[in-house]
Amino acid sequence: MKKNLSILFTLSLILISTNLAFSQEAKEVDSSFEEFKALRKKEREAREAKEKEQEYKDYLEFQEFKKKKSGEIIEEQDIERKKKEGKVAYSPWAVQYSATSGIVGGTKGESGTTAQFLVVGEYHVPESKFGYRLGISSWNYTYQTHNQKFERDLISTIFLSQGNIIYPLIFQSVFLERTRISVSSADFIFDYHFNPRKLFDPYIFGGVGIGTCSNQCNALRVLTGGGIRVNIREGYFLSELLLEKPFFAFSGENHNTSISNIYSGGFRIGFGIFL
């Protein structure tokens, strides 16, 4: 009897120990699984937060797109309205043609005339006060010094007083030939409009021109001035007063050539056609 109880007790201890071991292992498994679930939950929450953030960004982009699209539609409607009503100057692009006539002066008493023809492409947004012109110009300076002018007048007076018309023409063309400089250049002009794209459109401007001249030299001119435009539906007419200072630089083989330090002022008229 005692022996049987001893065996039963031993078996009970074995079973209890086994159950405890399994229970501990189960707890460890359950703990690892909970950690795994918590990790997955965090990943899921992070993914959902990122999706919500992206959804919010998409919403903001959509609002910007809608606002931009609405603005474009309003602008298109405004342009169409201006076209139908015959309002002036709705295009930002224009081609401009102009001619200039003026006078030349110099630091050594030079005097003469200047002429220019200019073709430019213009960009000027109707609502903006700023405009830009880029084009090609051809300009000429013709001048003589005061001494040359005095000698020419003296020769003319002497020979004409004797009734001779031929000799003054010969002496003027041979001995008293005037200086003439022809230049082709690319010009950039910056405009500031006080009353942009209205019927009467006053403005000021400044710019530079870079090119080459017939005397085998390089040329640079700086110009400034002001003008007024009369805008119509298809384009505009312009008139400008301008002052300019040309500079000349000769190549090595022509470095001894001399051109006077001159400046000029002129009056320009022209027209532009909106594209």
Side-chain angles (χ1 to χ4, degrees):
M1 185 67 179
K2 290 182 179 181
K3 185 177 182 180
N4 290 336
L5 289 173
S6 177
I7 293 172
L8 182 61
F9 179 73
T10 302
L11 291 173
S12 298
L13 289 176
I14 293 172
L15 289 173
I16 291 171
S17 300
T18 304
N19 288 332
L20 289 174
F22 277 116
S23 176
Q24 184 67 29
E25 185 177 354
K27 288 181 180 179
E28 291 178 357
V29 171
D30 291 342
S31 175
S32 299
F33 182 64
E34 290 299 327
E35 291 178 1
F36 175 77
K37 288 197 299 182
L39 180 63
R40 281 285 185 258
K41 184 179 180 181
K42 288 182 179 180
E43 292 177 351
R44 202 162 45 247
E45 290 174 350
R47 187 166 56 250
E48 290 175 355
K50 187 177 292 186
E51 289 175 353
K52 289 182 179 179
E53 182 181 358
Q54 185 61 45
E55 184 178 351
Y56 180 69
K57 289 182 180 179
D58 292 341
Y59 174 76
L60 293 179
E61 290 181 2
F62 171 72
Q63 293 298 322
E64 287 295 324
F65 171 78
K66 188 168 67 171
K67 183 178 178 181
K68 182 179 178 181
K69 192 67 176 177
S70 177
E72 291 176 353
I73 293 174
I74 293 174
E75 183 178 0
E76 291 174 358
Q77 291 174 347
D78 187 51
I79 290 175
E80 289 299 322
R81 179 180 57 80
K82 288 181 180 179
K83 288 182 179 180
K84 292 178 180 179
E85 294 177 359
K87 298 294 184 181
V88 300
Y90 53 82
S91 171
W93 294 99
V95 177
Q96 182 186 118
Y97 304 87
S98 62
T100 305
S101 179
I103 58 174
V104 173
T107 56
K108 296 181 180 179
E110 298 87 351
S111 64
T113 60
T114 180
Q116 178 199 61
F117 182 72
L118 175 67
V119 179
V120 301
E122 180 189 18
Y123 180 78
H124 176 209
V125 177
E127 293 77 16
S128 174
K129 291 188 175 183
F130 301 99
Y132 310 91
R133 290 182 273 173
L134 179 63
I136 299 175
S137 67
S138 175
W139 33 290
N140 299 306
Y141 297 107
T142 304
Y143 63 91
Q144 61 187 8
T145 63
H146 284 173
N147 290 337
Q148 288 177 324
K149 185 175 185 298
F150 173 77
E151 293 168 1
R152 181 197 66 185
D153 294 341
L154 180 62
I155 292 172
S156 298
T157 301
I158 292 174
F159 284 97
L160 290 175
S161 65
Q162 299 175 0
N164 194 321
I165 301 177
I166 303 299
Y167 284 118
L169 299 177
I170 295 175
F171 273 91
Q172 287 180 42
S173 62
V174 175
F175 297 106
L176 300 178
E177 182 178 358
R178 294 175 295 178
T179 302
R180 179 183 174 87
I181 309 172
S182 298
V183 179
S184 297
S185 71
D187 293 356
F188 175 78
I189 301 172
F190 173 82
D191 300 326
Y192 181 84
H193 296 257
F194 296 97
N195 195 25
R197 296 305 182 91
K198 300 299 187 295
L199 180 61
F200 294 100
D201 183 1
Y203 60 96
I204 57 175
F205 63 88
V208 296
I210 302 174
T212 58
C213 50
S214 58
N215 304 63
Q216 296 183 342
C217 68
N218 297 319
L220 168 70
R221 68 173 185 146
V222 180
L223 60 105
T224 185
I228 187 169
R229 296 184 184 181
V230 178
N231 291 302
I232 57 177
R233 183 176 179 181
E234 287 79 15
Y236 57 83
F237 297 96
L238 67 88
S239 59
E240 296 176 347
L241 291 174
L242 69 153
L243 299 173
E244 63 179 18
K245 176 66 182 76
F247 302 89
F248 304 97
F250 290 90
S251 58
E253 58 185 14
N254 298 295
H255 67 277
N256 292 323
T257 306
S258 176
I259 291 183
S260 297
N261 183 21
I262 61 173
Y263 50 88
S264 71
F267 178 70
R268 174 185 290 161
I269 58 173
F271 64 92
I273 301 173
F274 292 113
L275 302 179

